[in-house]
Amino acid sequence: GPTFQRLLENRDLNHAETLTCYRFVISDRNGTVSLEESSPMPGAACHKIIEGDQIDAYKLDALVEMGLIPQPDWLLVDTDGHELAVLHGATQTLKGIKGIQIETDPRNPDVPKEDTLAIHEALLEAGLVYEASYPHGELGVINVLYVNPELATA
């Protein structure tokens, strides 16, 4: 789609030759899904994953296990309501990271309020601890930083 094409163009414009881009979603299951776009404009947010067969979906754990990507040191998760599914598909990977910044949006009507607590619990279960919160913008969006105290200083 246009968003992935824009990503490739930005990579090239910034001479980021070492950056590898993939056209798939990270989720809590391996398979295929349809991505319902909120807008056809590049960079649009709040897309939804629905059942279908249009794009590949992978657990982050599976990608690391297959050797498609290395075990990451740090993660940034900004998936506009799909954060919990990303975490559920990354239970082993989370145990080996130094830290994660995850975006939460308590005012997003598509995200159940209990998901925010479930995100926190999933990160604690992986051995990560809350470090800080960084509100940004006027929409109530919050970036939350969790670190692994045993790995973050290494």
Side-chain angles (χ1 to χ4, degrees):
T3 298
F4 188 73
Q5 185 59 41
R6 178 66 60 93
L7 173 65
L8 296 175
E9 291 168 3
N10 284 336
R11 176 197 61 191
D12 295 343
L13 284 171
N14 287 287
H15 307 288
E17 292 82 14
T18 60
L19 179 67
T20 303
C21 301
Y22 300 96
R23 190 176 192 281
F24 54 74
V25 297
I26 304 295
S27 191
D28 57 352
R29 62 182 180 256
N30 297 319
T32 55
V33 296
S34 291
L35 186 62
E36 180 181 49
E37 295 182 307
S38 61
S39 166
M41 297 299 296
C46 298
H47 306 308
K48 295 179 183 174
I49 292 182
I50 56 177
E51 295 299 321
D53 59 357
Q54 295 181 350
I55 189 168
D56 291 330
Y58 294 99
K59 295 179 181 181
L60 186 56
D61 286 343
L63 295 171
V64 172
E65 187 176 303
M66 290 186 298
L68 184 59
I69 63 169
Q71 166 67 40
D73 289 327
W74 294 89
L75 290 175
L76 168 65
V77 179
D78 177 355
T79 56
D80 297 321
H82 197 65
E83 290 81 6
L84 192 55
V86 170
L87 298 180
H88 284 164
T91 55
Q92 294 305 308
T93 303
L94 289 173
K95 293 175 183 175
I97 63 171
K98 293 180 180 182
I100 182 172
Q101 179 177 304
I102 189 162
E103 183 180 272
T104 61
D105 184 356
R107 297 186 336 177
N108 183 338
D110 294 328
V111 179
K113 299 300 177 215
E114 54 272 8
D115 278 11
T116 301
L117 179 58
I119 287 169
H120 177 72
E121 290 172 349
L123 294 170
L124 293 179
E125 202 171 293
L128 300 161
V129 296
Y130 169 84
E131 178 85 6
S133 295
Y134 306 98
H136 67 86
E138 298 176 11
L139 300 176
V141 176
I142 303 168
N143 285 319
V144 185
L145 178 64
Y146 288 81
V147 297
N148 182 326
E150 295 178 17
L151 299 176
T153 58

